[in-house]
Every structure is written in C-alpha cells, then in structure tokens.
Amino acid sequence: MPEIIDYLSQNALPHWYDWLRKQPVSELLCSRYARGRKECYYGLGVTLQKSPTIYIAAHAERVQTLGDRYLPNWHSALLCEYRPGIGINPHRDHTCFAAWAIMVNFGQAEFVEYPTREKVITPLPDGAIVRLNTKILHAIRPVQALRYSLTFRQLKPEYQPATDQQRSLPI
C-alpha cells in the first residue's frame, strides 16, 4: 500500500498551485492508460515506449529541492495534470524505473492498488507526500476536481546516462 510519509505545509500549497498552473503540460498522444492526462517532465524525461528514450527535460529549482529532500539521487520527475473526469487505468510503471517512487499529491485523489485479487483504495489528501511501489498494479480513479501529481523516480542503472550532471543543467 502507498505510505503517506509527510505533507506539504498549508502555507506552501497556494504557492505550489500558482506554479503548477503555469507549467507547460501537454496531453499524451498514445497512452492506453492515461487518456486525457497532461504531463511534463523535469530532470530526465522518458519516452514510455518498449525501448525508452531518456532525454534532458526541464529544470525547476523547486522541483529539484523537493525531490532531493524526499528521494535523494532522483533522476526523473513527472508532473501530471488531471482535469475532472480523468484518471489513470491500472498499470505498472515502465521497467526502466526502480520500483519505489515518491509522489506529491495536489488535490484529492483515490489511489487504487491491486496487490492481490482484492483492490485496496487509499484516499490521498491535498499536499500528501506518498511513498509507493510502482511495480504493483495501480491506478487513480477519475478525479472530481483539478488534481496534479509530481512523482519522483530513479532510473535503473542500465538506463542511467553515463553522467548524472545533466540534471543540474538549466534548460
């Protein structure tokens, strides 16, 4: 099950929302799991194909700082925007990523996991910082109001670029 490990402060949330609304999210063109979701990568981006392409994505100091606090040595941060009625179908994250990830939840969501034949539903409150195993089948039920998530991941060693210096390069 996902574990809520911390919360963003109530004072910080309005600043995050101001920033989130200004990000250049765009809709996925070929997703079978997240139709209608919009996204943007920070750090290293990943084309989620069978053979993924790793590329230098955007840099944002606030993303860097938050990621370093909760998942030291992270490689990739994915910002997702969910409009009302949008969710993500059951899936496991790409094999290029390590199992454990940190997700920051902005808005209300119901996280669904399928660790066995029985599903487990975990309500995610606004500002929750969640540790989750992305290799367990999971989903997000369609949301009722605008929601964002920012998920920090590490790439498995065989997918990491030769040097990690590009994370600190501004784009």
Side-chain angles (χ1 to χ4, degrees):
M1 283 186 21
E3 174 190 8
I4 297 175
I5 59 171
D6 203 357
Y7 291 90
L8 293 175
S9 75
Q10 290 301 307
N11 292 337
L13 281 171
H15 300 287
W16 274 101
Y17 277 106
D18 287 344
W19 180 84
L20 291 164
R21 285 189 282 274
K22 296 174 186 170
Q23 298 315 294
V25 294
S26 58
E27 194 165 336
L28 292 167
L29 299 177
C30 60
S31 175
R32 294 178 294 163
Y33 304 105
R35 286 191 171 91
R37 183 182 83 183
K38 294 182 179 182
E39 65 179 39
C40 176
Y41 275 101
Y42 297 88
L44 295 176
V46 180
T47 59
L48 299 176
Q49 303 161 342
K50 186 172 184 171
S51 296
T53 301
I54 312 299
Y55 61 93
I56 298 173
H59 175 82
E61 195 58 40
R62 69 174 45 226
V63 173
Q64 184 77 45
T65 300
L66 189 63
D68 289 349
R69 179 174 179 186
Y70 290 102
L71 187 64
N73 302 312
W74 64 276
H75 301 109
S76 181
L78 177 60
L79 171 63
C80 296
E81 177 189 272
Y82 297 83
R83 296 272 172 188
I86 303 296
I88 185 167
N89 294 328
H91 70 286
R92 290 178 181 84
D93 286 12
H94 198 284
T95 57
C96 69
F97 294 117
W100 291 99
I102 297 294
M103 179 178 63
V104 185
N105 186 64
F106 299 94
Q108 304 293 320
E110 288 185 312
F111 187 88
V112 184
E113 263 190 345
Y114 302 85
T116 63
R117 291 181 185 203
E118 297 294 319
K119 66 182 172 187
V120 177
I121 300 169
T122 304
L124 298 180
D126 194 19
I129 299 170
V130 182
R131 183 173 186 263
L132 57 122
N133 183 339
T134 65
K135 302 309 178 186
I136 294 174
L137 191 65
H138 61 280
I140 294 287
R141 285 188 167 169
V143 298
Q144 303 300 309
L146 181 63
R147 173 192 180 251
Y148 294 94
S149 65
L150 182 60
T151 306
F152 296 93
R153 296 179 179 87
Q154 293 171 326
L155 294 168
K156 290 180 180 175
E158 61 268 30
Y159 291 97
Q160 293 175 21
T163 176
D164 201 33
Q165 289 179 321
Q166 54 271 64
R167 273 213 6 235
S168 61
L169 295 175
I171 301 295

